[in-house]
Amino acid sequence: MKPGIHPPYEPVVFRDKAGGFAFLTRSTLTADRTGGRTVEWEDGRTYPVVDVEISSASHPFYTGTARVLDTAGRVERFEKRYGRREAP
């Protein structure tokens, strides 16, 4: 790796605004790039915080509240309306 061209890779807290969930990970985002917002974490240290709209704690796919669409019924309605095409 070339020295001096990579951004700093430091601990950052990502906080889900919808689910009230937060997790600590490493990122290239720093306190000055997050608008200077910081939060005190469970270990007593202060870290930059990034507020996200949705995460695995609030996304319907991960929480099990996602609905499955009836695509088979849609295909059948289309074929009924316009007929089935024959393969060449």
Side-chain angles (χ1 to χ4, degrees):
M1 276 193 328
K2 225 175 180 182
I5 64 168
H6 300 285
Y9 190 64
E10 300 171 353
V12 176
V13 173
F14 285 87
R15 182 172 51 193
D16 182 359
K17 292 167 65 175
F21 174 71
F23 58 93
L24 178 66
T25 187
R26 293 174 54 101
S27 176
T28 57
L29 291 172
T30 57
D32 56 330
R33 291 180 63 195
T34 61
R37 294 185 310 261
T38 59
V39 66
E40 187 172 327
W41 192 244
E42 300 162 354
D43 61 2
R45 296 171 135 180
T46 302
Y47 297 105
V49 64
V50 177
D51 288 323
V52 294
E53 296 293 325
I54 196 161
S55 72
S56 61
S58 60
H59 193 281
F61 178 79
Y62 295 107
T63 59
T65 58
R67 290 185 271 162
V68 178
L69 295 176
D70 179 21
T71 57
R74 292 178 186 210
V75 171
E76 290 170 359
R77 279 187 298 180
F78 178 84
E79 289 177 349
K80 182 179 175 184
R81 184 179 298 161
Y82 298 106
R84 185 175 202 122
R85 288 184 58 185
E86 295 296 321

